Amino acid sequence: MPLRARRGSLIAPIAVLAVAASACSSEPRSDALPPAPAIKSSTQPTDVFKDLKACDLLEPTTAAKGFDPPVVETYESDNGCATRKQGFGSVSIYLVPEAGIDQLSAGQGTKIPTKVGSRDAVEIPGDAGTQACTVAIAVTPSSRLTASTSLNKGTNEEACALSREIATAAEPKLPKGS
């Protein structure tokens, strides 16, 4: 192959490399997209409950009544706790940072507006059928505490009495809502 023909075959690849290198230039391009703004920590959702643990709120009430030691549970939120008492029933408490009492489903029951301490709350007798009750306290418009009881035998009213007792004992330890 003559030298002239080989030189011509090298020009095209060198030209491609030169164009590609100029595309990687460190000079700013007018058609380049601006850098994405950094997300500030103030725009991140904050957990109103911070270091408050559901089991710390449930245990004082249930231990005095002979319930098993409470265990972490994550059905309604990542910050839940439940315990049971053989032959009696089970109770749970949840700190829900991303849903207020308005977002709480009544299940099979009916929401009844009430107060726990000075806070807005709802009581839901029969939410999980007979012998069950949930009491939910508004902490902020978009966060809540729920205390639920399910009895082996008894009435919704008896279940509500225990849910109210648990919620009332926990209420003073909750952060002040906004």
Side-chain angles (χ1 to χ4, degrees):
M1 176 182 281
L3 183 58
R4 193 172 294 231
R6 197 175 336 153
R7 192 178 304 150
S9 67
L10 291 175
I11 292 175
I14 292 173
V16 169
L17 288 173
V19 170
S22 69
C24 296
S25 167
S26 62
E27 292 187 28
R29 292 177 31 192
S30 61
D31 64 338
L33 293 174
I39 296 176
K40 295 179 182 169
S41 62
S42 63
T43 62
Q44 296 292 335
T46 57
D47 184 348
V48 68
F49 299 111
K50 294 183 177 89
D51 296 325
L52 194 58
K53 300 294 180 210
C55 287
D56 293 342
L57 299 176
L58 181 63
E59 195 274 334
T61 303
T62 57
K65 296 182 177 306
F67 279 79
D68 293 342
V71 294
V72 172
E73 190 174 271
T74 57
Y75 175 73
E76 191 176 336
S77 81
D78 289 343
N79 195 352
C81 189
T83 184
R84 64 187 191 96
K85 182 176 178 182
Q86 188 70 31
F88 180 78
S90 61
V91 295
S92 64
I93 196 168
Y94 282 93
L95 301 174
V96 184
E98 67 284 337
I101 61 174
D102 292 343
Q103 289 88 27
L104 184 62
S105 168
Q108 298 173 34
T110 302
K111 284 185 180 180
I112 301 168
T114 188
K115 292 274 190 185
V116 174
S118 63
R119 299 176 195 252
D120 289 336
V122 292
E123 189 170 291
I124 311 172
D127 62 327
T130 57
Q131 305 162 327
C133 184
T134 293
V135 173
I137 302 172
V139 176
T140 68
S142 61
S143 65
R144 71 177 184 254
L145 169 139
T146 59
S148 299
T149 301
S150 181
L151 300 175
N152 291 351
K153 56 186 171 190
T155 65
N156 288 342
E157 291 75 23
E158 291 169 319
C160 284
L162 183 52
S163 291
R164 266 192 311 276
E165 182 181 349
I166 292 166
T168 299
E171 187 273 333
K173 298 171 186 162
L174 297 174
K176 300 301 176 210
S178 55

